[in-house]
Each structure stands twice: as structure tokens, then as C-alpha cells.
Amino acid sequence: MGTALVCHEDMTAARLLWDDPECEIERPERLTATLKCLRERGLEQRCLRVAAREASEAELALVHSPEYVALMRGTQTLDTRELQALSGQYDAVYLHPATFHCARLAAGAALQLVDAVLTGAVRNGLALVRPPGHHSQQAAANGFCVFNNVAIAARHAMQNRGVRRVLIVDWDIHHGQGIQYTFEDDPSVLYFSWHRYEHGRFWPHLRESDADAVGRGPGLGFTVNLPWNQVGLENADYVAAFLHVLLPLAFEFDPELVLISAGFDSAIGDPEGQMCATPECFAHLTQLLQALAGGRVCAVLEGGYHLEALAQSVCMTLQALLGDPAPPLSGAMEPHHSALQSIQSVRAAQAPHWTSMQAPGQGGSARVEDLDCPLDPAPLLGPSPCSPLLPGDPEVKATQSPLLDQLCLRPPPPVCVAVILATSAVPLDLPPDVLPQEGSATQKETQAWARPHAVLAQEEALSTLGKVLSLLDGVLAAQVSSGLAAIPSSAVAATLDVAVRRGLAHGAQRLLCVTGGQLDWSLDLADDRRALWLHIGAEEASALSLFHISTPLPGTTGGFLSCLLALVLPLAYSFQPDLVLVVLGPAHSLKAPQAALLTALLRAPVGGRVVVLVEEESTAQLAGVLARVLRGDSPPSLGPFSAASPEDTQALACLRRQLEPQWKMLQVAAPPRVP
Ligand code: X5A
Ligand code: ZN
């Protein structure tokens, strides 16, 4: 199942014919520079190339009035003076004799992309188009946009292809008010837009771009606006917006198709956005979205005016669509105060409409202030000896992992996923880039590591351990990207213990372990600030230290999703590990879709370097699906959404309160300013 790339050379034809400083940034080089970069990186060659076709006038009429379409048709024969006069009727628009043709190709490209995905020809794809679409309205061009490519594609998917729910993610730095107006009373489209707003001082200066515009009538709660009131926001802010606003709503909505209004004026260097998110950030956003809708994700270009940032960001988006793990993010993973205020306000505005936005107590019994937290935050907030080594620390900068630097430059490892399974248990339908782990550590070395653990003396456990050690080396040396091993049930805890020590001894600077089932954590490891242990499946939530965290396994889909989005991923993004171990020990009771989603989502914060250890008994059920998500396939659905229990919501709030002073990506609201 591949990735489609939809484009057409003719879309470079339209250009500005007079002087207009506001419009001159939307130029043909946006497409040519982007395509050149895709070619140079060998990405175009990995895609199914599809030539764009013109949308028919009937298709344009899915969103636009026939009069407006006729008016635009008429622009093909106007002279420059007439074009300029008509352009002046709209806000930030220029027309060219080729505009009508280009704009029909742009809408047609979005339609073809959606059809390629919905017919199953490809899993996902990207359409490179101009003019952009998200500002255009029923009877108006606006903000360089003529026809609303994404809105037309969404209507087409629903009216002609039987899709019931579409999520539109608008990560362009401008508010796609055209999309908002089109669907504001329609509960079958969830429209999310973040945008530079500055309390209304930024174009298009609309009151309805603020967080309290949530849709109307049956569409209440299906418009989600996240206004940014400060420029200079970074990767941490965008990822926090996804973890704490978009993704919880999106999973609760359960779309059958995801459309991205993929504008890259939200990237660093762009003259319009003035933001500081790096191109890699878009690989993360894309990868996170692929956990939805069975991976049916269609990205359609909107804005993006810094040619290099645009080209690189498109490359990152396409790479993620192709299944490559996202490169690590640069910069401190701590959201800005202003960004947290925005996140807090949109969560508050949406809380009446979505259970995943509700704080403990809302609609439940307990109030936030009454939270009965088992542990006082004080012991977790000790002075420097207690704080971890994080990538931002000056101490760490000097010794910044050469491993990470190398990985960014190197081509992806030749073997994608290495598996260690009893021959009889290897599922026959594994894809070709999933291969058995051949190498093993020497017997002498394996025995030395096994010595402290009696259970590892047993022959099967020992030979598995030898392969696991070699697999860890392969992942740390970027020879394989990830791995999966079935471990005899009685040996899982001991194998985990050795794997952590070996990982830390062999180049991992920060190692995150996410575990389920009956497992223990050696006390000396609990004090090692290089290893963070998060156990899912405890009796109650507790944090014995910043590096030793337990929580119950929620019994509902909503509770499980909150656990992933509000705890596991924020911890992972804050800690920035260079290796993740997912360990499913005896009696872990995670269902296959849960284990798959956990594993799929954890690939993002760690550049794909995930090693999964599964107790033998559940491998028949888990091995195939886990191997597939490790190579970049989308996880299966968790099933119908059920709201988290008040106990689970409260446990999470407790942990957040204790941990967020250190692990900043856990924050969902701005802390009070200390004067
Ligand atoms: C698609 C897009 C921006 C218009 C800016 C007008 N439009 N100042 O990014
Ligand atoms: Zn824009």
C-alpha cells in the first residue's frame, strides 16, 4: 500500500502580473522548488505519481455558487487591467488568465488524491497544488485562494464515496475561514485550525477565528479554533497542541478520512507566520495523524512562502506518509506560556462538547481541588541532583549524542524491523522488510549479562537474550530501525533488566521503558536519571520518582487514549529518549489494537527506535500487527469510543500535577506567572 503524489506542471502557469507586495509571495517557484527537493531526496521516486485533472464545474459546485464559478471562468479572456480590477474586489487575491485552469487542476488534484485513497489504490498521499484553497468561500476568492480544494474533496468523499466522518486538520498559519464557513453547521466534518491571531491583529482579523467559535446548530463542537497570540512558537507548542487538543478530539470523533490543509507558512523562516517550528515537526504531526482513520491521510498544499522551509517541510511530510520514522525534534520541549494559554482556552471552549476535554469533576463527582493524590509533589521537585540530563542542558550539549547526529544524516537502515520469534510462531504474512534477527551476542558475553538472573540460565531464555542484545546493538548503531522479540514469560522481567543496562552501556543516553503486566524495576535503575520507567497496569497511579511512574490500565477506550495522549507521549516528548523499550510482560492484558496504537505512537518521539519485548503466550496474537506498525503501517482501530471513568481521569490529573513541573509537555494550561 503506497503513497500517491499528485501534481501537474500547468499549476505553475498563474503568476502576479502587476505590483502587489501582499500577493507577490505566492509564486510558481513554490511548486518547482518543492518538486526539485522531493526528487533530490529520492522521495518522488518512492511514490505513485498521479497527474492532476481539472475538477468539473459540477464538482466545484459542491462548495461554490454557479455564478461565482462562471465569473471565474470568464477571467480566462480578460486583459491585465480587467484582471487587476476584478482582483481588487477581493481581499488579497490576484488573477491571471491561467488562474481558472490552475484552480480547477488544484481542486481536481485533491479529488484524485481522495479517490486514490478511498478506492484503496494507495494508503495515503500528497497533492502539490496552487492556487491554495482554504480561504475561498461559496462566492468569493480570498487570501490567494480561488476554489476551496480541501472543502470540495471533503464534500466529494461524503456525497460520492460514502464517507461518513471527515477530519480536516488545517496546520497552515492562517485561519481557513472558507473551510469553517462551509462546514460550520455540519457534524460530519470536524474542522481544526490553528492560526496566528494576536488577539485579532493578524490577517484575516476575524472575530470568528477565536477559540470560542465552535460551530453552530448540529455542528456545535465540530469547529475547533486554536488561535496563537504570539509569534516565535516552536516544535513543543505544535506537538502540545496535537497531544492536548487535536488528537483527543480526533480519536473521539473517529474519522473515516483525514484531510490536511497542509500550509507550511507555519514553519520557521516564513515571512507570513513568523513562527519557529522546524521542518521535522511536520513529520511528527503527519505521523501522529496516521494513527487515525486506518491511515487514510490526504495532505493538500495550502500556503508556505519561504521556498527552502516549504520544500523541506513538504519532504518531511511526504517521508512520514511513506512510513519513515520522523527525525528527532530540536529545541527545548517546553511549550511557551502564551501557547499554553491558547491550549487552555480552546480546551475550555470545547469541554461542553467533548468528553476528552473535560477535567476531572466536570460531569463527574470529584472536583480538581479535591484530588486525592497519593504523593506530595515536593519529593519530586528536588534541586539539581534530582533533575535529569536533558538535551537542552549545557552539560549535555558538549556531549550531545553523536548517535543522533549520525542518524539524521544517514539513509534509513537497510532492514526495517528485526524479529526474534520461535520459527513455528513466525507469521507467514510478514512483509519483506520484516526479517528474522540473525545475529546474536557471543555466548560468553550473553552469559556474563545473564549471571545476576537465575531465570536466564535456562537455555531458551539465554539464547533469546543473546539475540536481544545483538538486536539492541543493531538499533543503537542504526543498522536496523526497530525490533520485536518474543520472550519466555518467566524471563521477561530479567530480559528487560539486562536490556536496559546493556542499552545504557552501549550508547543510549536516555532510555524510555513503557511496560505492562507483572514486572519489576531494579531499585538502582530507579535512581538512574538516564532511564525512565512508565508502568501501565498498576493498582493505582503513583510516581515514586520522576523516573519511576505507574498508572492503572484504563478499562475504556477513552481512558486508554488519554493515557497515551496525556501521559505516555508527553513524557516521551519531554524526556527525548534515543531508545524506547515497550515490554508486555505476563498478564499484561493489553488487547492487540491497544498494543499496536501504543507502539505506533511511540515511534514518533524516538525516531522509530522502538524495541518491543512480548511475553511468549501473547505473540501469536500480537507479533504480526506489532511488526507491521513498527515498519510504519497504521494501527487498527481501538473500536467504539467510550468515555474514561472518573477514576482514570483523576489518576491522570494526579500524575500530571506531580510530574508537570519537570516533564513540561504534560501541561495543558498555563501555570500562574511568578512575578
Ligand atoms: C493560503 C495562504 C495567505 C494570504 C495572506 C494575505 N494565504 N495577507 O497562506
Ligand atoms: Zn497561509
Side-chain angles (χ1 to χ4, degrees):
M1 283 287 271
T3 295
L5 177 61
V6 190
C7 195
H8 198 294
E9 223 190 84
D10 285 3
M11 281 187 281
T12 58
R15 62 192 166 83
L16 180 63
L17 297 174
W18 52 86
D19 246 13
D20 182 343
E22 189 177 16
C23 291
E24 69 191 7
I25 55 176
E26 202 294 290
R27 32 197 199 109
E29 292 76 22
R30 296 179 59 233
L31 283 193
T32 46
T34 300
L35 271 166
K36 179 165 174 275
C37 191
L38 291 178
R39 268 180 211 136
E40 283 169 1
R41 299 199 186 183
L43 296 172
E44 186 203 27
Q45 298 83 330
R46 293 170 61 192
C47 294
L48 177 74
R49 282 301 311 262
V50 179
R53 64 165 172 91
E54 287 190 319
S56 68
E57 296 203 5
E59 287 166 333
L60 299 176
L62 287 167
V63 168
H64 300 283
S65 71
E67 297 77 21
Y68 172 67
V69 173
L71 181 64
M72 289 301 116
R73 192 195 315 122
T75 63
Q76 296 175 100
T77 53
L78 299 184
D79 64 29
T80 303
R81 195 183 47 82
E82 293 166 321
L83 286 167
Q84 189 169 359
L86 182 56
S87 301
Q89 313 255 306
Y90 302 110
D91 185 5
V93 170
Y94 70 87
L95 297 164
H96 177 278
T99 292
F100 184 65
H101 177 52
C102 290
R104 282 180 63 182
L105 282 173
L111 290 168
Q112 271 179 306
L113 175 56
V114 160
D115 278 339
V117 167
L118 293 179
T119 57
V122 290
R123 178 167 61 124
N124 58 30
L126 170 74
L128 288 178
V129 304
R130 57 186 289 277
H134 69 154
H135 297 303
S136 68
Q137 297 148 41
Q138 194 201 14
N142 182 279
F144 316 154
C145 301
V146 177
F147 298 131
N148 203 314
N149 311 316
V150 166
I152 292 168
R155 277 261 159 85
H156 167 76
M158 296 188 295
Q159 291 194 2
N160 307 321
R161 297 290 179 261
V163 169
R164 287 170 300 178
R165 289 178 308 280
V166 180
L167 168 66
I168 300 178
V169 179
D170 189 339
W171 72 42
D172 186 282
I173 207 56
H174 301 96
H175 181 212
Q177 85 278 34
I179 302 182
Q180 176 168 314
Y181 300 154
T182 306
F183 299 113
E184 61 191 347
D185 57 3
D186 185 349
S188 48
V189 176
L190 176 58
Y191 175 61
F192 170 90
S193 173
W194 65 33
H195 33 267
R196 180 173 169 191
Y197 189 56
E198 297 175 295
H199 303 286
R201 287 190 300 277
F202 190 68
W203 189 91
H205 314 285
L206 300 171
R207 179 64 189 80
E208 61 269 30
S209 305
D210 211 345
D212 60 354
V214 298
R216 54 187 180 85
L220 264 182
F222 296 88
T223 293
V224 182
N225 283 324
L226 174 44
W228 297 126
N229 290 315
Q230 195 191 286
V231 296
L233 299 183
E234 298 175 74
N235 296 337
D237 302 298
Y238 287 6
V239 170
F242 265 48
L243 298 184
H244 298 308
V245 180
L246 172 61
L247 292 174
L249 298 182
F251 277 104
E252 188 169 346
F253 178 64
D254 189 22
E256 296 178 333
L257 176 68
V258 178
L259 302 181
I260 306 176
S261 262
F264 298 96
D265 39 18
S266 44
I268 188 165
D270 192 280
E272 280 285 312
Q274 304 283 326
M275 295 298 181
C276 294
T278 61
E280 293 75 23
C281 194
F282 297 96
H284 286 255
L285 304 182
T286 306
Q287 204 176 321
L288 292 170
L289 289 177
Q290 287 180 87
L292 295 158
R296 285 181 292 276
V297 175
C298 299
V300 181
L301 182 64
E302 300 279 2
Y305 307 102
H306 183 286
L307 293 186
E308 189 166 333
L310 168 65
Q312 290 194 25
S313 302
V314 171
C315 282
M316 286 294 156
T317 303
L318 191 59
Q319 239 174 322
L321 290 173
L322 285 161
D324 296 355
L329 290 176
S330 55
M333 288 308 274
E334 173 172 358
H336 286 76
H337 193 270
S338 160
L340 288 169
Q341 287 177 321
S342 299
I343 287 171
Q344 184 175 10
S345 70
V346 60
R347 285 176 59 100
Q350 297 293 341
H353 310 291
W354 300 93
T355 69
S356 54
M357 290 294 106
Q358 286 160 13
Q362 276 179 292
S365 46
R367 297 167 357 117
V368 190
E369 305 81 76
D370 301 338
L371 287 182
D372 175 26
C373 293
L375 191 67
D376 189 71
L380 301 185
L381 298 176
S384 52
C386 262
S387 29
L389 290 176
L390 286 173
D393 292 355
E395 230 185 307
V396 176
K397 273 222 175 82
T399 61
Q400 185 80 63
S401 164
L403 183 73
L404 286 182
D405 295 346
Q406 281 170 28
L407 286 171
C408 295
L409 301 172
R410 281 191 196 185
V415 177
C416 191
V417 186
V419 293
I420 305 171
L421 299 168
T423 338
S424 57
V426 178
L428 294 173
D429 57 340
L430 285 181
D433 47 1
V434 177
L435 294 175
Q437 167 71 30
E438 299 290 358
S440 173
T442 64
Q443 204 176 1
K444 201 168 143 217
E445 200 183 356
T446 309
Q447 274 165 351
W449 282 101
R451 196 151 302 132
H453 302 278
V455 287
L456 293 176
Q458 187 250 342
E459 199 187 306
E460 196 199 338
L462 194 67
S463 88
T464 306
L465 181 67
K467 289 187 176 180
V468 169
L469 296 181
S470 168
L471 165 61
L472 287 170
D473 286 355
V475 172
L476 288 168
Q479 284 153 359
V480 291
S481 29
S482 59
L484 169 70
I487 314 287
S489 297
S490 60
V492 180
T495 305
L496 164 62
D497 186 80
V498 174
V500 172
R501 291 170 203 281
R502 167 81 168 205
L504 293 174
H506 280 218
Q509 297 210 349
R510 286 176 303 281
L511 200 158
L512 171 64
C513 269
V514 181
T515 63
Q518 289 156 10
L519 294 169
D520 275 315
W521 192 245
S522 298
L523 280 177
D524 62 314
L525 285 178
D527 288 336
D528 190 320
R529 294 178 297 156
R530 298 174 303 160
L532 170 54
W533 187 33
L534 173 58
H535 184 63
I536 306 173
E539 283 289 317
E540 57 179 33
S542 72
L544 295 183
S545 80
L546 287 166
F547 298 90
H548 191 159
I549 303 163
S550 310
T551 189
L553 173 64
T556 59
T557 54
F560 186 74
L561 283 162
S562 303
C563 176
L564 293 186
L565 300 173
L567 185 65
V568 179
L569 287 178
L571 283 171
Y573 272 108
S574 303
F575 184 53
Q576 293 183 264
D578 41 25
L579 180 64
V580 166
L581 294 177
V582 173
V583 186
L584 303 176
H588 62 76
S589 62
L590 260 74
K591 299 185 190 78
Q594 294 179 317
L597 183 60
L598 169 70
T599 305
L601 290 173
L602 275 169
R603 287 175 79 229
V606 71
R609 289 180 298 281
V610 177
V611 172
V612 187
L613 308 179
V614 188
E615 62 92 20
E616 218 162 39
E617 262 101 83
S618 46
T619 45
Q621 188 207 358
L622 293 178
V625 65
L626 291 181
R628 274 185 286 271
V629 299
L630 284 173
R631 70 190 275 275
D633 288 359
S634 295
S637 158
L638 288 184
F641 182 88
S642 52
S645 71
E647 294 74 30
D648 287 338
T649 307
Q650 184 163 339
L652 202 61
C654 264
L655 285 172
R656 175 184 286 142
R657 202 165 77 172
Q658 289 173 56
L659 298 168
E660 72 182 5
Q662 176 63 52
W663 304 121
K664 307 275 187 186
M665 290 297 289
L666 289 166
Q667 301 170 91
V668 296
R673 284 258 195 221
V674 237

